Amino acid sequence: MTAVLLPSVLVPFVSLLLAAPALAGPGAHPPTALWKAGEAWRISVKCFSPDGAAGEEAPAPVAHFGMFVAVVGTEQVEAVACWKVFFVCDNGVRADVGRGYYFAIDKQAGWPRKVGRVHGPCAATLETLGAGAIIKGAPKGIPLEFFPLPERPFQAKVGLATLAVERRVSGSDITLQATYRVGGKEVLMVRQKWAQGEKWWREHERYVNGRKDLHARITQPAVAAPAPPTRPTALTKAKLRPAGRWSPLSYDLRLQARLSLVETDPPLADVLQRLQEATGLSLTLGTGLERHDPQLGSMQMSNVPVWTIMHALSTKDLVNGRWEKVEDGYQLVADASLRERPLPPPFWNRTTILAASAGTLALLLAAWGGLFVRRRLQGRAKA
């Protein structure tokens, strides 16, 4: 009886163990599990003409520009904890390139759960297929498509639409390929190159209806802001407002604390102290900027985010000034300071030597005079 019951009891458990990988989904540890709010990556993007030959790159890109991809914080999408990621184009990018796009990515599963746009209609849509999803209709120049790195091939079908995602591993290099078909015809194909342990892809290619549409690559996995197109001459709210379109500082939620600073030529140390008190972060000067003494001029900044003031400080009297993220806050670094406090005069300068010489001579004369008077008094006593 026991021998008969044992297999019947074990069968469900064996079936559950065999099904465990399927229940776990495509990839137990997606890159999103490593992300942190405030992180950003600098990428370079090339767009290609839709008239190119199928499967081939157009002779030359029709647009080439840079942008930042920034993890700005978290968002709940239908009770799913997600990262909210913005795509921020550089100033001067062509008007037909999509702007203001973002998506929400499932923190645990690594699949997109939402796509949107800050201003204007959103051309991109999200289609859910089984446990996965794909962003369709991404605008020109925005590499919106994102996928987890599945440990085994992922396939899902809803109606005539199918999605297949797989990865190939060669040493520390990973190639991910996602293909979306409708009625057996390839509509969208995305190929990405990753490296083991990295948080963002290194390269991203998009093919639409068999024609290459976009190629992007990472150029800087950092949060340092690019040099502004023009150097502001005064720290005013009006001049600072455009910086929000490209500065990754604006996507650090801790730097959204607001502060009023209405003063004329305040000392840099005082401004940094106030910024630290408002954010609780450490804001320091990097190597070579110990004597940096910018002339800040009239600061008429009322109830502005801290990051706007930080951005302004990075443009004042510095060569390639920028803020770099450190363990407990940010550090202002630059190639050189254009305005520094003068060095203190050396102790043994001409004035000091003359004063010391005069003092020494006075002491010698006083000592000689005292000795002379003492001897005279002693002579009189003996007489």
Side-chain angles (χ1 to χ4, degrees):
M1 182 68 177
T2 304
V4 174
L5 290 176
L6 187 57
S8 62
V9 173
L10 290 177
V11 166
F13 288 99
V14 174
S15 301
L16 183 60
L17 289 174
L18 292 175
L23 296 175
H29 302 287
T32 51
L34 305 174
W35 290 0
K36 295 179 181 178
E39 290 187 308
W41 298 271
R42 174 78 171 167
I43 62 176
S44 173
V45 179
K46 292 181 180 180
C47 301
F48 299 91
S49 169
D51 300 326
E56 296 181 3
E57 185 176 302
V62 296
H64 186 191
F65 53 90
M67 70 170 63
F68 276 94
V69 182
V71 182
V72 302
T74 59
E75 181 178 351
Q76 292 290 121
V77 180
E78 297 180 354
V80 176
C82 297
W83 290 114
K84 195 170 185 178
V85 180
F86 268 81
F87 292 78
V88 187
C89 295
D90 287 351
N91 288 335
V93 174
R94 291 170 34 152
D96 60 343
V97 172
R99 295 177 182 271
Y101 278 87
Y102 66 90
F103 57 50
I105 299 292
D106 190 327
K107 285 185 175 183
Q108 299 300 321
W111 290 99
R113 299 303 179 195
K114 178 182 178 181
V115 61
R117 193 179 185 188
V118 178
H119 300 293
C122 181
T125 59
L126 181 72
E127 181 172 352
T128 301
L129 296 97
I134 186 170
I135 296 174
K136 304 185 302 181
K140 178 184 293 186
I142 308 295
L144 274 177
E145 300 84 7
F146 196 89
F147 309 91
L149 295 176
E151 296 177 349
R152 57 185 180 81
F154 171 84
Q155 290 188 347
K157 181 177 181 180
V158 175
L160 298 177
T162 61
L163 174 63
V165 182
E166 62 178 343
R167 71 173 182 178
R168 296 186 295 273
V169 180
S170 177
S172 61
D173 297 328
I174 301 174
T175 299
L176 178 142
Q177 182 166 308
T179 306
Y180 174 76
R181 292 184 172 88
V182 176
K185 180 183 177 181
E186 179 183 304
V187 176
L188 177 66
M189 192 273 282
V190 175
R191 184 182 297 119
Q192 296 175 345
K193 293 182 179 180
W194 289 75
Q196 291 281 5
E198 291 190 352
K199 301 179 182 181
W200 194 261
W201 43 256
R202 291 185 173 183
E203 292 188 48
H204 178 109
E205 292 180 305
R206 179 169 70 207
Y207 290 80
V208 178
N209 295 323
R211 292 178 171 85
K212 189 168 187 176
D213 175 74
L214 174 147
H215 179 270
R217 63 182 181 86
I218 190 169
T219 59
Q220 185 184 15
V223 297
T230 57
R231 183 181 294 274
T233 56
L235 304 187
T236 62
K237 185 176 180 180
K239 289 181 180 295
L240 288 171
R241 186 177 294 117
R245 292 198 296 265
W246 54 263
S247 175
L249 290 174
S250 63
Y251 298 111
D252 188 334
L253 300 182
R254 301 170 299 178
L255 301 183
Q256 295 295 340
R258 292 186 169 267
L259 181 67
S260 293
L261 204 59
V262 183
E263 299 181 29
T264 301
D265 284 330
L268 177 60
D270 293 351
V271 176
L272 292 178
Q273 179 63 32
R274 295 184 62 177
L275 297 179
Q276 290 182 119
E277 292 173 354
T279 61
L281 299 173
S282 172
L283 302 177
T284 58
L285 300 179
T287 303
L289 299 183
E290 294 82 359
R291 295 190 294 113
H292 179 53
D293 186 30
Q295 186 173 6
L296 299 181
S298 177
M299 300 185 71
Q300 305 299 317
M301 308 175 75
S302 178
N303 194 33
V304 298
V306 165
W307 70 263
T308 61
I309 304 176
M310 291 174 61
H311 163 69
L313 296 179
S314 70
T315 69
K316 292 303 293 180
D317 297 320
L318 290 172
V319 177
N320 193 24
R322 58 204 182 276
W323 290 95
E324 291 186 353
K325 198 170 185 181
V326 294
E327 183 176 356
D328 55 351
Y330 288 86
Q331 186 175 72
L332 181 61
V333 299
D335 295 343
S337 171
L338 301 178
R339 192 173 188 274
E340 297 183 333
R341 293 188 302 275
L343 288 170
F347 181 76
W348 291 110
N349 55 21
R350 182 178 180 183
T351 303
T352 306
I353 293 173
L354 290 176
S357 300
T360 303
L361 181 60
L363 288 174
L364 290 174
L365 290 174
W368 181 83
L371 181 61
F372 176 78
V373 171
R374 181 180 178 184
R375 287 182 177 180
R376 291 289 301 269
L377 292 176
Q378 289 177 348
R380 290 180 181 180
K382 289 180 181 180

